[in-house]
């Protein structure tokens, strides 16, 4: 637990949260400033800043809960789809430094966009550059 972390305070019950689901290692609650009806955050109960900071078990707990909840949220609010994503680090827009998955219900004609708008201008990459990136990520 991090003393000055708002999400750790929700886990500890020190500040109220509209909790919708809980497992041993993960917690899900409504976003206080929702982007749509049913906007839910899924977090590890342990304070971790970035996705890569999660242990394998913590990662499984968080993403398993996302998988379990998405259809339940969709049914509860009558959504047509979801945008599911993580602002993983301050330069990606992360404001609360406790890793969290946004599960954002989407509705036909809601005026929103796809996740492709998140990264700004697209790079113009050659086949060789794409090959090199794939190889660097794959560790070949
Ligand atoms: P980020 O930009 O870090 O990915 O998103 C943080 C999210 O946490 C925002 O969508 C914001 O509305 C939500 N949030 C911030 N403070 C609180 C809080 O005290 N309670 C809840 N339930 N959500 C919060
Ligand atoms: Zn925390």
């Amino acid at each position: 637990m991090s003393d000055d972390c708002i999400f750790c305070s929700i886990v500890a019950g020190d500040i109220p949260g509209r909790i919708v689901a809980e497992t041993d290692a993960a917690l899900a609650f409504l976003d206080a400033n929702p982007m749509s009806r049913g906007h839910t955050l899924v977090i590890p109960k342990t304070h971790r800043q970035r996705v890569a900071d999660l242990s394998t078990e913590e990662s499984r707990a968080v993403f398993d809960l996302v998988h379990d909840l998405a259809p339940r949220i969709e049914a509860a609010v009558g959504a047509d789809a979801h945008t599911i994503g993580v602002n993983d680090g301050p330069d990606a827009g992360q404001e609360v430094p406790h890793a969290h998955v946004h599960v954002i219900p989407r509705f036909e004609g809601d005026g929103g966009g796809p996740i492709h708008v998140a990264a700004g201008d697209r790079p113009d990459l050659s086949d060789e550059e794409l090959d090199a990136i794939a190889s660097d990520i794959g560790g070949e």
Side-chain angles (χ1 to χ4, degrees):
M1 157 135 193
S2 170
D3 281 344
D4 54 0
C5 172
I6 196 117
F7 289 176
C8 282
S9 299
I10 292 175
V11 172
D14 293 337
I15 67 164
R18 291 188 177 84
I19 292 168
V20 299
E22 180 171 12
T23 66
D24 285 349
L27 187 71
F29 51 90
L30 293 188
D31 193 295
N33 186 21
M35 296 184 67
S36 67
R37 279 165 49 83
H39 181 177
T40 298
L41 303 174
V42 182
I43 69 168
K45 284 185 173 173
T46 305
H47 184 81
R48 308 282 184 221
Q49 181 159 2
R50 302 277 309 271
V51 167
D53 299 330
L54 300 173
S55 69
T56 302
E57 291 73 25
E58 290 161 352
S59 172
R60 284 189 183 136
V62 167
F63 288 99
D64 280 357
L65 190 52
V66 170
H67 174 259
D68 179 47
L69 269 178
R72 289 164 52 190
I73 296 169
E74 201 165 303
V77 300
D80 302 304
H82 269 113
T83 295
I84 296 173
V86 182
N87 295 322
D88 187 31
D91 291 317
Q94 183 178 7
E95 292 181 354
V96 176
H98 183 133
H100 49 281
V101 180
H102 291 264
V103 183
I104 304 169
R106 298 292 304 273
F107 300 83
E108 187 184 358
D110 64 11
I115 210 162
H116 301 79
V117 299
D121 294 337
R122 290 185 189 225
D124 186 15
L125 297 169
S126 67
D127 285 345
E128 291 71 26
E129 287 171 311
L130 289 168
D131 289 344
I133 292 167
S135 153
D136 288 344
I137 294 172
E140 289 169 28

